[in-house]
Amino acid sequence: MELPFEVGALYNRQKQIHGVFGGQRQGGISTPKEHPLVIAFTGEAGVSHGYHDFWDDDEVFHYFGEGQVGDMKYVAGNRAIGEHAKDGKTLIVFQMMGKGRPYRYLGRFMCQSSYVQPGAPDREGQPRSAIVFRLRSLEASLGLAAGETDQAEIDAAIDDVGATTGRRETEVRTKQRLFRERLIGVEKGCRLTGIEDLRFLRASHIKPWADSTHSERVDGENGLLLAPHADMLFDRGWISFSSNGRLLVSSSLPSDVQARIGLKLYASLRCGVFSAKQLSFLEFHRDVVFDSRHSTLHSTDNIHLSLLR
């Protein structure tokens, strides 16, 4: 089925999704009558209803079904997801970006199976049985590129002569893809430009890939979504963020570059709130990455100058 959506792009739910295909305009699952389509919406709204969708280590997306109070039932939208392949319908998923805001298209998915999660709280905080679907993405990517340093380190890992090339490449690329999938559930967009369309962003590790443990490499909270020029500055240590969310700019960043790069690189610019785990990774970035390379260069220059004198 041909769809007018591009993975990673943003769409207005009422006009560009339901206005084209119909279906229920409220709720987390929509089943248009005139099209062989099931539309699932994931995002922060689920948290207020007692559940949180997530990606497991095998890149399977665990999607909680609909039903805000009491045990979930395998009917209506829940049945539509579980039986979409049998019914000959395409399952697509959109990410909620916030009330009154557009929705991000995550692509086509296939429901592999479902299970019942006992003790999941409902909207009123009462324990109930929730239906959770195991969904597998059918997309090659989220339309989101790796950060500059990440890509270089990934390429180096793939070329590691001590590993079987095919197996090593698959392992590294799978981890990087899982990191991106988890990252978009943490970060909505670039903190410097406000861009939220994934096609124009990069997934950058806060604590570099080479310095991270296996678990840190796939931790979405060890990352930022950044526009390419912001990603380059962050990866190379020209900028960072303080513990209270303010922008830090290296004194070594050339003033003409700062003026021409097209970013508001004002010292102490407020860039939002970071989670506790993000703050711990940012501490590493400030201590090890931020300004360190440039400080080293300046120290070397000073030594050479003293020798010339």
Side-chain angles (χ1 to χ4, degrees):
M1 180 180 180
E2 291 294 327
L3 295 169
F5 307 123
E6 188 170 347
V7 177
L10 304 174
Y11 299 91
N12 179 278
R13 176 167 179 171
Q14 302 306 322
K15 295 179 180 179
Q16 296 175 291
I17 302 175
H18 298 303
V20 175
F21 294 102
Q24 299 90 325
R25 293 172 178 263
Q26 303 292 329
I29 303 173
S30 184
T31 54
K33 293 182 179 180
E34 305 299 325
H35 300 274
L37 200 63
V38 178
I39 309 172
F41 298 92
T42 180
E44 297 173 351
V47 177
S48 64
H49 297 153
Y51 49 84
H52 181 69
D53 304 332
F54 65 94
W55 294 89
D56 68 21
D57 290 341
D58 295 318
E59 278 194 286
V60 173
F61 188 54
H62 293 241
Y63 179 81
F64 282 72
E66 62 182 4
Q68 299 180 12
V69 179
D71 293 342
M72 292 184 182
K73 307 295 183 183
Y74 196 73
V75 297
N78 290 335
R79 183 206 169 277
I81 288 184
E83 306 293 331
H84 79 92
K86 178 181 177 181
D87 294 340
K89 295 185 177 182
T90 299
L91 172 63
I92 60 177
V93 178
F94 284 87
Q95 180 186 9
M96 305 172 189
M97 302 298 287
K99 186 175 181 180
R101 304 178 70 188
Y103 288 66
R104 179 185 284 152
Y105 180 55
L106 301 185
R108 303 170 189 246
F109 284 70
M110 174 67 70
C111 180
Q112 295 183 320
S113 61
S114 64
Y115 62 94
V116 175
Q117 177 68 55
D122 65 11
R123 184 184 61 192
E124 299 175 353
Q126 297 300 312
R128 50 82 176 268
S129 293
I131 298 174
V132 187
F133 298 95
R134 295 185 180 92
L135 308 182
R136 175 75 68 177
S137 174
L138 300 180
E139 307 296 341
S141 72
L142 293 170
L144 177 65
E148 181 187 50
T149 300
D150 276 6
Q151 191 59 57
E153 291 168 348
I154 290 168
D155 290 342
I158 290 173
D159 292 336
D160 184 354
V161 295
T164 303
T165 304
R167 181 178 178 182
R168 178 64 170 172
E169 180 174 356
T170 299
E171 176 186 344
V172 172
R173 293 196 186 282
T174 296
K175 286 184 177 180
Q176 178 62 19
R177 193 166 54 242
L178 178 58
F179 165 67
R180 297 180 209 180
E181 291 163 345
R182 288 175 171 170
L183 173 58
I184 65 170
V186 177
E187 291 284 290
K188 293 295 179 60
C190 176
R191 289 175 180 261
L192 295 183
T193 65
I195 295 173
E196 295 181 334
D197 189 322
L198 296 182
R199 297 172 299 173
F200 303 94
L201 296 175
R202 290 181 176 175
S204 183
H205 278 86
I206 299 173
K207 183 178 182 180
W209 173 279
D211 298 307
S212 297
T213 64
H214 291 301
S215 61
E216 290 173 340
R217 289 174 177 175
V218 295
D219 189 339
E221 293 190 271
N222 182 20
L224 295 174
L225 290 173
L226 295 171
H229 50 339
D231 168 69
M232 180 273 291
L233 293 175
F234 184 76
D235 273 357
R236 298 188 185 183
W238 296 109
I239 63 172
S240 190
F241 301 93
S242 70
S243 58
N244 59 5
R246 293 181 181 273
L247 179 67
L248 301 175
V249 181
S250 170
S251 59
S252 302
L253 182 64
S255 58
D256 62 323
V257 172
Q258 186 168 343
R260 296 170 185 269
I261 201 167
L263 293 170
K264 295 179 180 180
L265 299 179
Y266 307 134
S268 297
L269 177 72
R270 291 184 178 275
C271 298
V273 177
F274 294 96
S275 71
K277 287 189 71 176
Q278 283 181 307
L279 289 176
S280 67
F281 290 124
L282 282 170
E283 182 177 3
F284 182 94
H285 185 272
R286 291 194 300 272
D287 291 344
V288 178
V289 181
F290 177 60
D291 218 14
S292 60
R293 182 185 306 175
H294 319 305
S295 297
T296 300
L297 290 174
H298 283 308
S299 297
T300 303
D301 290 343
N302 290 334
I303 291 173
H304 289 165
L305 287 172
S306 64
L307 289 175
L308 288 173
R309 293 191 188 111

